[in-house]
Amino acid sequence: MSSNRSEIATNAAAASPARPVVLTCAQPTGRLHLGNYLGAVVNWERMQNDYECYFGVADQHAITVPKVPAELRRNTHACLAQYLAAGIDPARSHVFVQSHVTGHTELAWVLGCICPLGWLERMTQYKDKSRKQESVGSGLLYYPVLMAADILLYNANAVPVGEDQRQHMELARDLAEKFNREFSPTFNVPGAFIGQAGARIMSLQNPEAKMSKSDPNQGGVVYLVDTPDVVRKKILSAVTDSGSEIRACSGSPGIKNLLAIFSAVTGEPVADIEARFEGRGYGDFKKAVADAVIARIDPVRVRYEALMKDGAHLDSVFKAGAEAAQRTAWRTLSKVYRKVGFVQRT
Ligand code: AMP
């Protein structure tokens, strides 16, 4: 994270004297799991101290593949409630729904007009996803342009993304550079926190694979909204091996994963945990991991449940976030519209 910080600080200094801007857009997937929390949301929460953060719930990206409308609506609220419960603070950050800020699609149109079709057709995520479906909406092809608009609209200096988004980030940078070249310098060329600084959490049932909401074996996935009983059961049934050594290098990926989880939720270094559990059995260790995970995430679940009962509060957070985001968006858009030759909107 420290090298990223200096990269961002340099970008920011060039862009404005204010705090560097970070943009995070995540699709409303419903329930966040322990991997999302420890690998991403915990870092977002910390970033609020140093950066001006925009957190978008990407409902427009979500509909690039078919969605059940009532579920999408519910998941959008649920996603916000989980972010807030996990420490995303609307008093310090801008939290909004992508479709509430019209600037995203407006800028995407302009960027799409300078984006060669070939740039989109070679995106590997598009190729993978379209191969799996009989017919695809053109929104799926256009997705990376909308993502570039999400980022460039706020002149973000950095975007925390997973490795799978590297190619889309490159496209956003290429589009920013192309626009700056063809018109005049307008956009900051964003950096990325590729890979992020957070823990990589594996499935409890198949510790060779990342914990994922699409895991067919849901026993391996701990959700933030799971009750303590459910969390305990999942962790006590985690796959280990027939050994007994509680060491990250013991050769058991299950134990390595549990040590990583324990360390991530408590902040205790892995070596200290190993020393503390030397000579003790897997049973004792798993119980301790379950207790530590529950102590960390159960307050999040309790706050989440209270927030989900207060739809008016969630809507008011979205309203304030959208107003702030739209103000920034409009500043960028009015520049862009002037540069491409649109008559000023009165
Ligand atoms: P996804 O819902 O898979 O798009 O993930 C949302 C965010 O959570 C991304 O920043 C991912 O990098 C992060 N993430 C997802 N799964 C894991 C995992 N098992 N361990 C760590 N981070 C994860």
Side-chain angles (χ1 to χ4, degrees):
M1 189 95 170
S2 54
S3 61
N4 284 327
R5 281 235 178 122
S6 57
E7 174 199 339
I8 292 156
T10 317
N11 285 345
S16 85
R19 289 191 304 168
V21 174
V22 170
L23 180 279
T24 303
C25 263
Q27 291 194 24
T29 49
R31 297 179 299 170
L32 298 180
H33 56 66
L34 198 58
N36 298 136
Y37 178 61
L38 298 174
V41 181
V42 166
N43 291 326
W44 302 346
E45 196 268 325
R46 282 197 208 110
M47 283 180 334
Q48 298 179 110
N49 298 328
D50 300 320
Y51 305 109
E52 178 159 10
C53 294
Y54 288 83
F55 293 105
V57 181
D59 55 350
Q60 291 171 322
H61 284 295
I63 62 163
T64 53
V65 291
K67 287 281 176 309
V68 177
E71 256 175 42
L72 177 59
R73 219 176 337 267
R74 187 183 184 282
N75 286 346
T76 302
H77 276 125
C79 204
L80 171 66
Q82 284 165 88
Y83 289 161
L84 300 185
I88 302 300
D89 176 7
R92 286 187 289 161
S93 301
H94 313 295
V95 190
F96 60 92
V97 186
Q98 189 182 27
S99 65
H100 291 182
V101 183
T102 58
H104 291 256
T105 44
E106 288 190 67
L107 181 59
W109 179 256
V110 177
L111 294 176
C113 291
I114 64 159
C115 181
L117 189 56
W119 287 13
L120 299 182
E121 285 171 333
R122 67 163 187 259
M123 292 291 116
T124 50
Q125 210 174 81
Y126 168 71
K127 287 199 268 187
D128 284 352
K129 286 191 180 173
S130 56
R131 210 175 289 132
K132 289 180 196 146
Q133 295 170 45
E134 245 173 53
S135 129
V136 294
S138 41
L140 195 62
L141 179 70
Y142 205 65
Y143 176 112
V145 180
L146 182 58
M147 178 169 156
D150 299 338
I151 298 165
L152 302 183
L153 203 52
Y154 303 104
N155 265 307
N157 303 99
V159 186
V161 288
E163 186 61 42
D164 57 334
Q165 294 296 322
R166 180 187 288 276
Q167 204 185 19
H168 292 164
M169 272 308 301
E170 283 304 318
L171 185 97
R173 294 167 61 90
D174 290 346
L175 282 174
E177 281 167 356
K178 191 164 192 282
F179 189 96
N180 289 349
R181 220 173 28 246
E182 288 184 12
F183 297 94
S184 61
T186 306
F187 296 118
N188 184 51
V189 179
F193 299 137
I194 300 277
Q196 309 190 26
R200 188 160 190 263
I201 306 300
M202 314 307 277
S203 160
L204 299 177
Q205 288 299 315
N206 174 16
E208 312 276 359
K210 252 174 66 165
M211 187 175 283
S212 157
K213 61 182 178 290
S214 51
D215 190 334
N217 189 346
Q218 288 290 296
V221 189
V222 171
Y223 290 99
L224 286 186
V225 299
D226 282 344
T227 58
D229 283 352
V230 173
V231 176
R232 192 175 304 282
K233 200 165 157 220
K234 286 179 178 172
I235 293 177
L236 295 184
S237 335
V239 166
T240 46
D241 59 10
S242 53
S244 60
E245 249 201 330
I246 298 161
R247 300 192 74 79
C249 61
S250 68
S252 164
I255 288 296
K256 188 174 173 207
N257 188 35
L258 289 175
L259 277 165
I261 291 173
F262 200 157
S263 171
V265 293
T266 59
E268 189 177 353
V270 168
D272 293 6
I273 303 168
E274 288 174 341
R276 204 147 56 77
F277 281 88
E278 202 178 332
R280 290 166 66 183
Y282 283 175
D284 261 10
F285 177 58
K286 285 182 178 176
K287 270 189 216 139
V289 177
D291 286 342
V293 170
I294 292 167
R296 178 72 187 262
I297 68 170
D298 205 48
V300 177
R301 179 188 64 85
V302 171
R303 281 196 293 275
Y304 161 78
E305 288 186 352
L307 283 161
M308 281 303 272
K309 290 189 190 121
D310 193 353
H313 173 64
L314 295 179
D315 285 336
S316 73
V317 169
F318 275 151
K319 183 167 183 282
E323 280 169 2
Q326 186 76 59
R327 271 195 298 278
T328 311
W330 183 241
R331 273 200 298 276
T332 306
L333 262 183
S334 53
K335 245 194 262 174
V336 167
Y337 280 175
R338 181 167 45 79
K339 293 191 185 196
V340 299
F342 290 175
V343 169
Q344 197 180 357
R345 214 186 276 188
T346 50

